Amino acid sequence: MSAEFESPAITPIQRDVPFVFTGEAGEYFRIWIVNVVLSLLTLGVYSAWAKKRTRQYFYRHTQVDGTGFEYLADPIQILKGRVVLVLLLGCLVALQAFDPVLYLVGVALFMVASPALLVAALRFNARQSAWRNVRFRFDAPISVAYQLYAKMVGLTLVTCGFAVPYTQWMWADFIASNHRFGDQPFSWRTQPGEIVTLYIYMVPMMMAVYALFFVGILCIATLGQLLPTILGTKANDPATMDQIVSMASIIGLPLFYAALTVPSAFFKARMANLFFGGMSVGPHTVRSEQRFAELLRVYLGNLVALVLSLGLAWPWAKVRLTAYRLSRLTLVAHGPLVVDAGEGADHVNALGDAAMDLGELDLDLGF
Amino acid sequence: MVWFDGQRSEGVAATLALDANHYLTLRDENGQLLDPEAVCPARLHIAPPLGDTARTFHFGGSGRGESRDLQALAALEHALGRGWKGRALARLESAWPIALTLGALVMLGGLAGLRWGVPWAAEQVAIAMPDDLAHKVGAGTLRVLDTTVLKPSRLQTARKDELRAGFLTLAAPYDALPLTLHFRRGVGPNAFALPDGTVLLTDELVALATDDRQLFAVLAHEIGHVHHRHGVRMALEGAALSVLVAVVLGDATELGNVAAGMPAALAQAQFSQAHEIQADDFALETLVHAGISPRHFAVIMRRLQASAGGPDRSPVTTGTDPEKTSADGALRYLASHPPTEARVARFATWPEPQ
Ligand SMILES: [Zn+2]
């Protein structure tokens, strides 16, 4: 019978409240494997409960000021959303098989619906997330999402894609500043220039990796030309050539992939710092201090473990990544962490949520 | 335990007790009742246990309690005679021997399911599908291909008729299939079959062949794809694969995509290779039946491979089956077609009739 919360009277004006992650790879592995088996045995029906348990596991183990977050979604509601979405996607697949023209129409409709689905998913997600029995909210009207979408698409087309850093800022701003925790609105301080700068660093890194890749291919090709002469085999023997190409691909492709995680880790670490670090919740601010080299080590370790374990290390990788990210996240409390729940019930449906789960709508902000 | 009233993010230390008459009371440290509704056990809802995390409970109102005293909560549930489902699940999730056994089973079952289960199920569904439905799959694909990559054939009408006559002879035993031969060009030497019985032959392939019987050998293989409904099966196998990946990885993040991408590509390639072998079996049988030496198939496949100048240079079009030649080597597991040399060996060594 202990009270882990602090009395407002002794709370200093400003204090650091770290995010603490207490999840363990072994514990999550057992939950994950049971989820997988039950989902398979029930032909996917259990996947809604599996989702709830997975989310709840990571939420409960993420603690701020001694209290974990809570994921409140009703699995039945998740299931309903999934059923509708699976039916819709099933129709799309059937159309693809029977009528490619109508299929394209279907895909176009899906794209037109995607801002609405995204907003629905964000609302659902926020509404089902709580801390100390106060829920989060996502308040943006769907019309605003459509206006934003139109602007983003227009800008991208007009600038031939060069506006991507700016449209990404617009989207992140839309998400970050439309959330609420209880009656406390979120706000976002990150400036477009900061994301542009991030891209200015990231793009050359990316290009360097690709350049290395092509230099590698050239070397292999030259070697392939020279090798038969060196080995004294028949020149241009297709079998030898194929062996060389295969061997080079087997070694080269994973290396290339591993090399690509370098700019990716840089981008994701910085992006997370900009996204979370720019956030305020009412008077409180957030600090995110992910480091490129540290995140890269986590990524590469995870990659190696996943490959060597044929995917079974997935729970370990997920826990490790989450633990790292949260270890670098701090809430800077300006005053007591007491928030009123506030008013307002909004329509939430699990359909948008299900769409994100099936990977049809990608909401990857890079964190 | 702590009680959060749902109005403010501020908790009060509280005690939940069950008395001898099976009434609940929820009191703060001073003995004040926190929720007058919190009396009847029927209204109490406790979140199921999950690892060693704190559990929450509520009485249908806005307030929520949270407790780390997992034993006390389990005892309360036990006294009320419920929560057995949650406890059973938690027991399942807490035992390493069970988890490791399940892990091994999922691994083996997954591999077996991918290797035999999914193709078998797809085949059963494809076979059970009514003829006209199965042959409607991919209708309109030709129209899309015509407006995108394919160009009209430049072959003389007489030449087309000649080839069409041979094709009809081959197709004669399968009069239930709505087979039609079409000529196009623009995608290199190739032939492919659509599920509706449309078989496409490119001018480039016609030019590559040194004997019409080589073309008939390829066409026999294409008829095999239509006969075995490979188009439908490929679509079904692909759908089953994405569902499996989604179930296993759940909310896949960037790590999930990496982890899922390779095995999925591998499985898809294996499904496709199995279809090619089945179509080859069909071609062999059909050619022998039509009195054409299967050796012609080996000749044209080798010519195709030589002309492609390397593995996998043919265009890939979803829902159709562009023929591909494929080199042997470490990458063969990821190719849509089995290594050409392995495929043609049995054709090339077919005994010539005396
Ligand atoms: Zn084929």
Side-chain angles (χ1 to χ4, degrees):
Chain A
M1 305 301 134
S2 64
E4 298 96 338
F5 53 92
E6 279 186 43
S7 148
I10 58 156
T11 306
I13 298 304
Q14 180 183 326
R15 68 187 171 115
D16 282 359
V17 185
F19 281 75
V20 178
F21 184 70
T22 50
E24 289 163 22
E27 193 181 41
Y28 176 55
F29 174 84
R30 299 192 303 262
I31 291 169
W32 173 75
I33 199 77
V34 170
N35 279 343
V36 167
V37 169
L38 290 182
S39 297
L40 289 175
L41 288 181
T42 57
L43 299 175
V45 173
Y46 187 78
S47 72
W49 280 262
K51 183 201 166 134
K52 157 111 190 191
R53 284 184 90 69
T54 305
R55 270 288 170 90
Q56 177 79 328
Y57 183 82
F58 282 90
Y59 271 46
R60 296 263 65 183
H61 276 298
T62 304
Q63 301 190 349
V64 170
D65 203 26
T67 312
F69 287 81
E70 200 176 358
Y71 186 62
L72 299 161
D74 177 13
I76 297 283
Q77 209 181 347
I78 300 175
L79 185 65
K80 277 185 198 155
R82 287 194 169 185
V83 168
V84 173
L85 197 78
V86 164
L87 287 179
L88 281 178
L89 290 178
C91 286
L92 268 189
V93 170
L95 278 181
Q96 186 181 22
F98 291 107
D99 195 327
V101 179
L102 258 184
Y103 166 71
L104 290 179
V105 175
V107 169
L109 281 178
F110 209 80
M111 281 164 77
V112 169
S114 61
L117 287 177
L118 276 172
V119 169
L122 286 163
R123 277 187 194 171
F124 182 78
N125 235 341
R127 186 99 175 78
Q128 305 302 343
S129 306
W131 182 74
R132 288 189 177 164
N133 202 14
V134 170
R135 292 180 185 230
F136 288 79
R137 294 272 160 74
F138 183 77
D139 278 341
I142 285 175
S143 58
V144 175
Y146 272 100
Q147 284 165 21
L148 185 73
Y149 222 63
K151 267 188 222 159
M152 285 168 65
V153 170
L155 266 175
T156 310
L157 290 179
V158 166
T159 60
C160 301
F162 278 97
V164 161
Y166 185 69
T167 55
Q168 194 167 17
W169 175 84
M170 290 166 80
W171 185 244
D173 182 42
F174 172 70
I175 290 179
S177 45
N178 282 300
H179 271 92
R180 236 169 7 111
F181 175 60
D183 65 352
Q184 297 295 308
F186 278 51
S187 57
W188 202 51
R189 293 183 311 273
T190 302
Q191 297 301 309
E194 295 176 85
I195 291 186
V196 173
T197 313
L198 173 55
Y199 269 87
I200 289 174
Y201 283 114
M202 197 264 303
V203 170
M205 284 174 84
M206 209 74 164
M207 280 168 26
V209 172
Y210 278 100
L212 269 176
F213 182 59
F214 284 116
V215 169
I217 288 185
L218 275 180
C219 288
I220 289 162
T222 323
L223 200 66
Q225 294 290 324
L226 295 178
L227 210 58
T229 337
I230 299 167
L231 297 176
T233 47
K234 200 166 49 148
N236 290 331
D237 175 18
T240 319
M241 278 302 289
D242 285 338
Q243 287 302 335
I244 292 168
V245 171
S246 302
M247 284 315 293
S249 323
I250 290 266
I251 299 165
L253 279 177
L255 272 182
F256 174 58
Y257 195 84
L260 271 184
T261 55
V262 175
S264 159
F266 172 80
F267 184 79
K268 299 215 163 173
R270 291 293 181 87
M271 191 65 195
N273 292 347
L274 289 177
F275 185 72
F276 294 113
M279 257 180 204
S280 309
V281 186
H284 315 297
T285 54
V286 179
R287 208 166 60 220
S288 172
E289 296 164 311
Q290 292 187 26
R291 298 213 184 101
F292 164 43
E294 289 171 351
L295 188 65
L296 182 63
R297 209 177 311 141
V298 173
Y299 273 163
L300 290 179
N302 283 354
L303 198 63
V304 171
L306 281 172
V307 169
L308 291 184
S309 69
L310 300 176
L312 273 187
W314 161 249
W316 179 80
K318 193 171 161 169
V319 163
R320 191 160 165 257
L321 185 60
T322 311
Y324 175 70
R325 285 178 173 159
L326 288 170
S327 72
R328 290 284 166 211
L329 202 62
T330 313
L331 183 71
V332 184
H334 298 264
L337 288 176
V338 178
V339 166
D340 280 333
E343 289 291 312
D346 38 11
H347 295 286
V348 282
N349 69 57
L351 176 58
D353 195 50
M356 298 223 298
D357 275 1
L358 286 178
E360 284 307 307
L361 301 170
D362 196 11
L363 194 85
D364 192 7
L365 278 162
F367 51 79
Chain B
M1 52 154 268
V2 189
W3 180 256
F4 299 102
D5 63 7
Q7 308 303 315
R8 308 187 79 200
S9 63
E10 199 173 22
V12 287
T15 314
L16 180 68
L18 183 70
D19 67 19
N21 300 321
H22 266 227
Y23 285 119
L24 287 164
T25 46
L26 180 68
R27 294 178 193 280
D28 67 9
E29 282 172 322
N30 305 323
Q32 294 289 322
L33 282 179
L34 282 165
D35 186 348
E37 309 280 340
V39 176
C40 176
R43 302 189 64 161
L44 173 65
H45 179 276
I46 312 180
L50 178 65
D52 61 0
T53 60
R55 295 174 67 184
T56 56
F57 58 89
H58 63 86
F59 295 90
S62 62
R64 271 181 117 78
E66 181 178 315
S67 172
R68 291 220 168 97
D69 193 347
L70 301 182
Q71 278 178 335
L73 280 175
L76 177 64
E77 274 186 322
H78 194 76
L80 295 172
R82 55 188 158 113
W84 63 269
K85 271 192 239 165
R87 284 202 301 275
L89 189 59
R91 250 202 305 280
L92 204 61
E93 288 170 344
S94 63
W96 268 114
I98 294 177
L100 292 175
T101 314
L102 289 180
L105 280 179
V106 163
M107 209 70 167
L108 293 174
L111 287 177
L114 282 180
R115 181 77 181 74
W116 295 289
V118 170
W120 179 82
E123 187 173 4
Q124 297 311 309
V125 174
I127 290 172
M129 214 179 242
D131 286 356
D132 49 332
L133 188 65
H135 297 143
K136 258 186 211 127
V137 173
T141 308
L142 183 57
R143 238 182 320 144
V144 173
L145 288 175
D146 273 340
T147 53
T148 50
V149 288
L150 295 177
K151 296 190 185 87
S153 166
R154 282 183 184 148
L155 292 179
Q156 301 285 322
T157 314
R159 181 84 181 106
K160 286 186 192 168
D161 288 344
E162 215 172 79
L163 291 169
R164 210 168 261 138
F167 177 75
L168 288 177
T169 318
L170 275 181
Y174 309 100
D175 52 0
L177 299 176
L179 292 163
T180 49
L181 179 62
H182 298 256
F183 299 91
R184 295 288 187 277
R185 78 186 156 85
V187 289
N190 216 326
F192 41 91
L194 304 179
D196 64 357
T198 304
V199 176
L200 290 163
L201 186 61
T202 66
D203 291 7
E204 295 91 330
L205 185 61
V206 175
L208 188 72
T210 49
D211 185 320
D212 282 358
R213 284 174 295 183
Q214 294 165 9
L215 295 173
F216 298 143
V218 172
L219 293 175
H221 170 95
E222 298 308 326
I223 297 173
H225 282 312
V226 180
H227 176 76
H228 289 295
R229 302 187 168 174
H230 286 154
V232 185
R233 281 160 63 182
M234 204 67 194
L236 292 170
E237 286 162 351
L241 199 59
S242 21
V243 169
L244 273 181
V245 167
V247 163
V248 172
L249 292 181
D251 50 343
T253 59
E254 73 266 36
L255 282 171
N257 297 335
V258 183
M262 279 298 278
L266 203 69
Q268 195 93 49
Q270 294 305 307
F271 296 154
S272 170
Q273 292 197 12
H275 295 173
E276 292 309 323
I277 290 167
Q278 204 176 24
D280 283 354
D281 293 345
F282 180 94
L284 190 67
E285 210 173 289
T286 308
L287 289 174
V288 171
H289 187 260
I292 297 173
S293 167
R295 292 191 176 205
H296 292 294
F297 187 74
V299 175
I300 190 71
M301 288 309 286
R302 283 177 178 155
R303 286 184 68 82
L304 263 170
Q305 170 136 18
S307 81
D312 295 353
R313 274 194 37 201
S314 318
V316 183
T317 326
T318 343
T320 62
D321 172 51
E323 289 313 322
K324 280 188 197 173
T325 55
S326 213
D328 200 353
L331 277 188
R332 66 175 175 275
Y333 300 107
L334 280 170
S336 67
H337 284 58
T340 306
E341 266 316 307
R343 271 176 82 186
V344 301
R346 56 182 167 149
F347 289 87
T349 55
W350 193 265
E352 287 289 5
Q354 297 305 308

